[in-house]
Amino acid sequence: MPHSHPAPSPAAEQGSPGVNPLLDGRDLRLPRIADPCVLVMFGITGDLARHKLLPAIYDLANRGLLSPSFSLVGVGRRHWGDDDMRHYVEQAARSGARTPWRPAIWEQLAAGMRFVEFDSFEDNAAYEALARVVAELDESRGTLGNRAFYLSIPPGWFPAVTERIARSGLMDDAEGSWRRVVIEKPFGHDRASARELDELVGRIVRPDDVFRVDHYLGKETVQNILALRFANTMFEPLWNQRYVDHVQITMAEDIGIGTRAGYYDTIGSARDVIQNHLLQLLALTAMEEPTSMAAEAVRAEKEKVLAAVVLERDGVLDLDLTTARGRYGSGFQGGLPVRGYLEEKGVAPDSRTETYAALRLEIANRRWAGVPFYLRAGKRLARRVTEVAVVFKQPPFLPFTSAATAGLGANTIVLRIQPDEGITLRLASKVPGTQMELRDVSMDFGYGASFNEESPEAYERLILDALLGDAPLFPHQREVDLSWRILDPVIEHWAASGAPQDYRPGSWGPTGAHELLARDGRSWRRS
Ligand code: BG6
C-alpha cells in the first residue's frame, strides 16, 4: 500500500506533551502516541511473549509510539523479582527486536517494569498484589489509571483469571481512564465454546474494550488487500463471478509443530489457522466495499460475506468431496531427516489431529455465485508461502492458433502476503520472434523495491492499536462466531472419519487435497 507521508501531527512534534524527549526528534511523522498506561501481561514467560510481544513493545518504544510513562507488569509462575523480569525482557528484545538497540530507550522502558509472582492463576492474594503494583505505577509513573490486560494464556484459564481480575477491582470503571482486555486465539474450540468465552469476557469488560488478536490482520500485506481493491479502478470491475474462475488461499509453512505439541495436538490446522487467518483473508478478498475504513464499517462487510459462505458444492453438501486433511509423516526436509507428526514429543500416539487442511467453499451472493474459494494450510510443506491467488477465466475467444496459445495459463493476481511481500500479475505476452507465440509473464510489485521503510511487525501494529483503542484490525465476536459456523460441520465430519492421510514432508500435502481440485478440473498453484 503506498504510504502517504502526512504532515507531522502537532502531538508528534518535538516538545509536545507526550512525546519522548529521548527520541531526539526522530520519527516526526508519527501519527498517534499511546496514552500513558499499564500493560499487564499474563503469559509473559510464554513463547509468544518472548518471540513477538516483548520485541514489539521495545520496537514501539524505540519508534516513539509509547508514552514515556508506559509501564509493563509481567505476571507468571516464576520466583522472579523485577530485575529478573527486566533481564528476561532485555534478552527477548535484543534477540527479537527489529529496530536498533538504544540504551536510553531501554532504561526508560525497564524503569516501568514490574513482576508479580503468581503461585497459580487461582492465587487470590496475587491479584491483590497486582492491584497494588498497578496503583503504585499510577502514582510513580503517571499512568493515569489506564490499563490493558493481555491474556496470552490458554483459554481454559480465562474463567479463573477474568473473575479474579474483576474481583480485585482492577477493572472497575474510573472517570477519565480506560480498561481494555486483549485476547489471543484460539477464540474457543467451536461455535458454542466461543460464545461461552465471549460471555465470560463480557462480564468484566464492555464489548468495545475487548481486542481479539488475529495477527494476520496486523500484517501490511493483509491490510493492502483493501487498498488494492478499493483505492484502484482497475481491479474491482473484474472482481466477480463474471471474470473470476476461482480463488486459492494458501498458508504453507515449512516448519513442523516444534515444541508446541501441547497446544497443537488438541487443535489441528483448521482450528489453528483456517478459523481465523484464512477466513479473514477470504473475507477481505471477497467483501463488498465498506462505507469507510472505520471498524464498524469494515466489520459489517466482512460479516456479510462470512455469513454467505456455504460448504455445498453446486448445492450438494458432501464434505468428503469438498474437504481434505493430512498429517506429515517422517522423511527429509531441506536434506535433513525430520520426525513424523506422531513421533513429535508430546503428541498422543493415537492422535488424529491434522497438520494440513483444505476446504472448498462457495459464497452464495450475486458477486461470487459459482466461484469456488479453495483454502489450504499446512505444516512441513515444500516452502513457506502465504498468498491469495485470484485466477481469472479464459478469454471467451482467442484469435490465435491453438499452437500459439498452447503454453498459456490463466490471468492471475497473486497477493503475496509473505515472504517476498508484494503483488504479482500473471498475463499473456508475445514471445519475441517472427511467429505469434504466447506465453505467461509476470508483472511484480515488491515492497522491498517500492518503499524505503521496512514494514513494522504485525504485533507492533496490533499492540499499539489496542493501546490506542483503535478497533479496525481486530475481529469482532460476530466474525469469530460466523467463522465457527463454517468450520464446525467440517470438524465434526472429520472427527467421525478416522485418521488424516499421511503426506511426505517437503511436499505440497496429501493426495486428497489434489483430488479435491482435480474433481473441479483444476489444480493447486505450485504443485
Ligand atoms: C499462528 C499459528 O497463528 O500463526 C501457528 O498458531 C503458525 O501455528 C503461525 O505457525 C504462523 O504465523 P506467521 O506470521 O509466521 O505466518
Side-chain angles (χ1 to χ4, degrees):
M1 178 183 333
H3 294 281
S4 62
H5 290 187
S9 72
E13 279 164 22
Q14 204 181 7
S16 300
V19 168
N20 193 341
L22 295 179
L23 289 171
D24 303 326
R26 283 183 289 122
D27 241 358
L28 289 183
R29 286 181 293 111
L30 305 179
R32 283 171 71 195
I33 294 170
D35 292 337
C37 65
V38 178
L39 178 63
V40 179
M41 192 177 285
F42 284 75
I44 193 165
T45 55
D47 277 357
L48 181 73
R50 191 166 74 246
H51 296 307
K52 300 284 182 190
L53 307 180
L54 299 172
I57 289 172
Y58 170 79
D59 284 328
L60 285 173
N62 207 4
R63 293 168 61 207
L65 296 169
L66 300 180
S67 146
S69 298
F70 173 83
S71 301
L72 177 68
V73 179
V75 164
R77 283 173 283 191
R78 303 267 170 106
H79 296 305
W80 276 0
D82 297 341
D83 280 339
D84 298 311
M85 173 170 133
R86 289 184 185 116
H87 179 69
Y88 166 82
V89 179
E90 181 177 348
Q91 305 270 302
R94 278 188 188 263
S95 62
R98 189 173 65 79
T99 58
W101 189 252
R102 291 201 169 85
I105 293 288
W106 166 252
E107 293 300 327
Q108 188 180 58
L109 195 59
M113 287 182 195
R114 306 285 186 273
F115 186 74
V116 180
E117 184 181 331
F118 272 48
D119 280 343
S120 81
F121 290 136
E122 288 162 332
D123 175 358
N124 293 329
Y127 289 84
E128 284 160 27
L130 175 64
R132 285 194 298 276
V133 166
V134 171
E136 177 268 314
L137 287 167
D138 282 344
E139 283 294 310
S140 64
R141 306 258 309 165
T143 40
L144 307 177
N146 296 324
R147 47 194 78 145
F149 295 85
Y150 203 119
L151 306 188
S152 175
I153 53 175
W157 283 111
F158 281 19
V161 171
T162 50
E163 191 191 311
R164 286 172 178 80
I165 291 178
R167 234 192 284 146
S168 67
L170 279 161
M171 290 302 284
D172 292 355
D173 278 338
E175 184 75 26
S177 50
W178 49 257
R179 280 97 177 78
R180 294 182 192 133
V181 173
V182 185
I183 53 179
E184 279 285 340
K185 74 181 182 63
F187 311 123
H189 209 64
D190 54 18
R191 197 176 196 187
S193 57
R195 287 180 175 178
E196 276 167 30
L197 183 70
D198 182 55
E199 206 259 323
L200 197 76
V201 176
R203 279 191 221 151
I204 66 161
V205 66
R206 274 183 296 271
D208 286 352
D209 293 324
V210 183
F211 294 79
R212 291 173 194 77
V213 175
D214 180 323
H215 79 281
Y216 263 60
L217 297 184
K219 292 182 191 273
E220 286 289 333
T221 44
V222 174
Q223 295 162 43
N224 195 30
I225 297 174
L226 296 184
L228 174 91
R229 293 194 52 205
F230 303 125
N232 292 300
T233 311
M234 290 192 294
F235 306 110
E236 210 45 28
L238 306 180
W239 214 259
N240 57 54
Q241 49 78 28
R242 269 188 83 181
Y243 298 102
V244 175
D245 180 72
H246 71 279
V247 177
Q248 295 189 15
I249 304 182
T250 299
M251 177 182 174
E253 294 180 276
D254 52 7
I255 50 169
I257 57 157
T259 53
R260 296 167 77 221
Y263 160 80
Y264 199 88
D265 203 35
T266 59
I267 299 265
S269 183
R271 287 190 173 102
D272 185 35
V273 298
I274 294 190
Q275 189 275 336
N276 35 74
H277 310 329
L278 268 69
L279 285 174
Q280 285 289 325
L281 290 176
L282 173 142
L284 294 169
T285 305
M287 69 188 228
E288 296 301 316
E289 183 174 272
T291 50
S292 75
M293 286 296 142
E296 275 316 305
V298 176
R299 285 167 170 176
E301 297 307 334
K302 284 198 283 174
E303 284 162 27
K304 272 197 264 172
V305 80
L306 288 171
V309 168
V310 296
L311 291 161
E312 282 84 358
R313 178 173 182 262
D314 302 329
V316 179
L317 181 67
D318 185 341
L319 296 174
D320 284 329
L321 299 184
T322 54
T323 71
R325 73 203 152 114
R327 166 172 78 194
Y328 59 81
S330 57
F332 287 85
Q333 194 163 25
L336 297 173
V338 293
R339 269 197 293 265
Y341 180 71
L342 287 182
E343 291 92 56
E344 297 277 21
K345 202 162 160 249
V347 169
D350 58 350
S351 167
R352 294 215 224 138
T353 302
E354 82 283 357
T355 60
Y356 178 102
L359 304 183
R360 177 198 191 280
L361 304 173
E362 288 184 19
I363 300 175
N365 65 20
R366 179 175 290 242
R367 186 191 279 262
W368 294 116
V371 178
F373 281 68
Y374 301 103
L375 275 51
R376 63 173 164 169
K379 304 246 181 222
R380 284 241 180 276
L381 297 181
R383 50 174 281 221
R384 174 171 180 252
V385 56
T386 301
E387 63 174 35
V388 177
V390 179
V391 182
F392 289 87
K393 292 184 176 170
Q394 295 293 342
F397 174 72
L398 285 170
F400 305 97
T401 61
S402 50
T405 57
L408 272 193
N411 286 169
T412 306
I413 297 180
V414 186
L415 314 177
R416 303 195 314 261
I417 306 297
Q418 68 187 27
D420 187 23
E421 290 80 1
I423 296 175
T424 303
L425 214 58
R426 292 283 288 168
L427 39 97
S429 172
K430 181 183 174 304
V431 180
T434 50
Q435 289 185 349
M436 182 55 89
E437 188 195 340
L438 302 164
R439 201 184 292 160
D440 291 324
V441 294
S442 293
M443 276 170 68
D444 270 350
F445 146 61
Y447 276 75
S450 300
F451 298 115
N452 291 329
E453 50 274 78
E454 208 187 303
S455 294
E457 278 288 321
Y459 274 104
E460 284 173 64
R461 177 67 195 265
L462 295 176
I463 293 172
L464 178 66
D465 279 11
L467 299 181
L468 289 169
D470 278 353
L473 299 183
F474 298 89
H476 191 274
Q477 166 62 19
R478 289 189 298 268
E479 293 166 64
V480 172
D481 188 66
L482 289 165
S483 303
W484 282 121
R485 177 194 72 85
I486 300 166
L487 221 52
D488 272 3
V490 175
I491 291 174
E492 275 166 33
H493 176 74
W494 288 348
S497 323
Q501 212 180 15
D502 275 355
Y503 60 91
R504 198 170 44 79
S507 71
W508 281 107
T511 52
H514 301 290
E515 290 158 8
L516 194 162
L517 260 73
R519 252 174 239 125
D520 290 353
R522 302 190 175 97
S523 56
W524 292 107
R525 285 168 45 76
R526 310 165 190 282
S527 43

